[in-house]
Structure formats: C-alpha cells, structure tokens
Amino acid sequence: MHKAVCREEQAARVGKEWAREQSRAVQLTHAAFRDDTKTMQKLIDGLVAALASNKNVAKHRAAAVKAFVDFRDERRVGNAAYNAAQEGALKALRLLHERGADLDLGNTKTGATPSTVAAIEGCTIAIRLLAELRADVHKPRNDRARPLQVAAANGHLDTARLLLQLRADVNAQENAGLTACWAAAFRGHDRVIQLLISARASFIAEIEGATPVWIAAQEGHDRVIVTLARARASINEHSNHGRTPISMAAYKKHEIVVRLLAHMGARLLMGNGRGFWMAYQDDDVRQQEMRQFWPRIIAAGGDEP
C-alpha cells in the first residue's frame, strides 16, 4: 500500500514536470481558453506516452494527468479549468473533468474558482455545466466573496438567478460585510436588487454600518433607493460615523437623490438634533455647499428643523 502511494506521488511529480517543460501548462490553459480540445488532448496524450517508458509510474497515469491539468503556471493566476470557465468553453471543461481536474481549485492571486470567474464574466452556461459536474458553485474566494456576490456586483441578472436556483445564500457576507444586495446597490444594478429582494434578501449593513440604501445614496443611484424603500428598507439608518443616506448624497452633490430622500420623508436631523450637514463640521467648505441644498430640500417636501 505504501509503495503504491509513493509511486502515485512519483507519477504526480512527473505530471508537474511535464507541465513546466516547454510551457506545456501555459499551452493547455490557452487551448482551454479557446475551447481547443484537440490541442488539449494532444498534450495529455504526450504525457501518457512519456509515462509508458517508466513501468513504476505507468499504472498511475491518472495521477500524473491530474497533476498536469491542475497545474497553475506562475505566469498565470489560474489553471486550465479557470480559463475555460472564464470563456464558457464547455467542451474544454468537460474534457478536464473527465481527466480528473479539480473544478474548485482557486487561482493563485485571489483564490477565485472557475465558478467565481464565470460569475464575474456573467457566463451562465459555464455555471450551469459546473453545477452538473458537481463543482461547488458557491465556494468563496480568499476574501469570502461568493459567486452570487460577484455576479450581483457586475449586474449579471441571469447568472444571479441561476445561482439562487442552485441555493446560493442570498445574505452571505464577505470579509468586509458586503452582501450581494449591497454589491448590487453600490453599482446601481436595480434589476438584480429586485431579484435578490424576491429571494428574501436582507438589507444588511457592512462592517462600517453602511446599508445598501446608504451606499446607493453615496453613489447617486436614485432608482435603487426607490426599489429598496418599497421593500421597506430604512432610508434613515446611519453609518458608524453617524452619517445618514441623505447626508452622504448631499456630500457627494447628488441633488436628485437628496430631493428624493427628502420627499420620501428622510430625517433632516441627526440623532443629536443637528442638521445632517453638521456631520461634516470639520469641513467648512463642504458645510457651506450643503447649506445651499436647503431651499431645494424644503421644496421637495422636507421639514425645516
């Protein structure tokens, strides 16, 4: 048993050496990117032929091939499966799966898996195939961001829908506390937010207390704010720094958002009874700029303090 394990490890080393020589791993990833299974198979067959001359490892060619197809060249962040998923190269993904490739292996930079990069690119067909091949389509990368979160951040509605159908955790948070809903609100992807709300997304704040409404106000995404408010998200919840959504909208000079929030009944006073512009009392210039909003805010329906 011990001898068999040693020979399997030896075969894996041969597979890695084969990958390094003549940049064959790079050739494999390029072929996978192009969905060129003919070139991929030729590279794999060459390894199997090379193993045949060594009787000690010939019986363990599966281990050698797996080591080869999983190899991550230092000049590339991801392996062949990562590149195939990025382009939706379905034939290449199937071939790699048949050769024992790890379809959940993260890249060397962020730990992003083939499922993650497919979600980033909005490659729904690759996500569907990876799920069929029993890959973990919800595996987080190093910062704990999951495929659903990156799909939402990039506005890929169909990809997000499929991931939810595959039972993605709609309220999963990455290291900074960001959810899929927060990421979509930051980028202004209103239709994605509607999808997430239908999946019962919560309006969780990130670690500094900024909610999806808060970040949408900062970025000037008025339609997102309306969608969130209709789903009963708070339009007054402040961040850990005491700044409210209307305060951030004013600070960023998003007049439409300021008027909208005021019309929707946003509080113009902070918890200490001061006007929202006082959150910036150390910035005299910005205070003056925000005071200029007052006539418009009152006209929009806000109450004068």
Side-chain angles (χ1 to χ4, degrees), residues 103-124:
L103 300 181
D104 295 325
L105 189 62
N107 69 29
T108 57
K109 187 175 181 181
T110 65
T113 65
S115 296
T116 304
V117 73
I120 291 171
E121 298 297 328
C123 195
T124 309

Side-chain angles (χ1 to χ4, degrees), residues 292-305:
Q292 295 174 11
F293 277 105
W294 273 106
R296 302 189 187 98
I297 293 171
I298 301 304
D303 295 325
E304 186 174 7

Side-chain angles (χ1 to χ4, degrees), residues 31-37 40 80-81 83-98 103 118 123-133:
F33 188 81
R34 301 190 307 271
D35 212 13
D36 179 5
T37 53
M40 294 172 68
N83 280 264
Q86 183 176 0
E87 281 297 297
L90 304 188
K91 291 187 296 182
L93 279 174
R94 288 189 183 278
L95 175 61
L96 291 166
H97 172 67
E98 291 167 2
L103 300 181
C123 195
T124 309
I125 55 173
I127 295 282
R128 183 175 288 108
L129 177 59
L130 286 164
E132 290 175 5
L133 299 179

